Amino acid sequence: MRKYRPTAKVLLVDDQHRVLLLRGIDRSKPDIAPWWFAVGGRLEPGETPGEAAVRETFEETGLTIGHPGRVASTRRFDWDFEGAEFDQQEWYFVVRTRPFTFSSAGWTENEAATIQEHRWWSLGELRSTTDAVYPDNLADHLEAALMNHYPRWESPT
């Protein structure tokens, strides 16, 4: 039986228009290649997506952000991870940030075991990679969100 899992995801974008992604694995599927995904995670009971975005960003990166602004996009899908099945609802936020020192000090035991690395990605790199990146077409979604949220944002060519 799938468990409903509401989540807040944060697309942290630096001053070079790069997005921070994490690379993870599912230990129950050693034959599946690692994939890249946005910072964020499950909402705690009584927590709003915005509150979860702030908390998850700090826990997963060490970066303290203020209110993450309005929701840039959402998605809902079924998936399984580490042997559990989920009906996952995601709320995506776009947060501009200055350079910061990444920290994994707030990771849970499960995150420490399944997250392999972090990396800043340009839109061009996202569009040309053969690695799995979620959500699908992240570069297009991110570019549209940035143009919508930051009208003076210019896409690098």
Side-chain angles (χ1 to χ4, degrees):
M1 180 168 182
R2 295 193 185 280
K3 180 178 179 183
Y4 178 64
R5 186 173 191 262
T7 63
K9 300 298 250 175
V10 182
L11 300 172
L12 293 171
V13 180
D14 72 5
D15 56 358
Q16 296 177 44
H17 307 306
R18 300 175 306 168
V19 63
L20 180 67
L21 298 179
L22 304 175
R23 182 176 182 226
I25 60 166
D26 183 333
R27 295 173 292 180
S28 70
K29 299 177 185 176
D31 54 330
I32 301 294
W35 62 91
W36 294 94
F37 57 94
V39 169
R42 180 179 55 85
L43 275 65
E44 297 291 339
E47 196 173 42
T48 68
E51 292 166 342
V54 171
R55 177 183 53 76
E56 285 285 340
T57 298
F58 179 72
E59 290 175 359
E60 291 189 353
T61 70
L63 176 67
T64 300
I65 61 171
H67 190 278
R70 67 183 187 266
V71 173
S73 66
T74 63
R75 77 174 181 150
R76 189 166 183 174
F77 60 100
D78 292 334
W79 75 304
D80 60 280
F81 180 70
E82 297 280 300
E85 296 182 359
F86 299 100
D87 165 16
Q88 184 152 312
Q89 172 74 49
E90 294 179 337
W91 288 271
Y92 280 84
F93 297 88
V94 176
V95 176
R96 298 296 299 231
T97 184
R98 297 182 191 277
F100 68 94
T101 302
F102 184 90
S103 173
S104 60
W107 287 4
T108 65
E109 185 177 310
N110 189 51
E111 289 167 336
T114 60
I115 298 174
Q116 297 180 326
E117 65 180 299
H118 69 280
R119 178 181 162 195
W120 293 94
W121 290 77
S122 71
L123 292 175
E125 290 169 330
L126 286 172
R127 287 189 171 107
S128 66
T129 187
T130 58
D131 290 357
V133 177
Y134 297 105
D136 292 332
N137 301 314
L138 177 59
D140 295 336
H141 294 297
L142 178 58
E143 186 170 32
L146 286 168
M147 293 180 124
N148 187 34
H149 279 62
Y150 303 96
R152 292 189 175 152
W153 185 80
E154 294 180 17
S155 176
T157 53

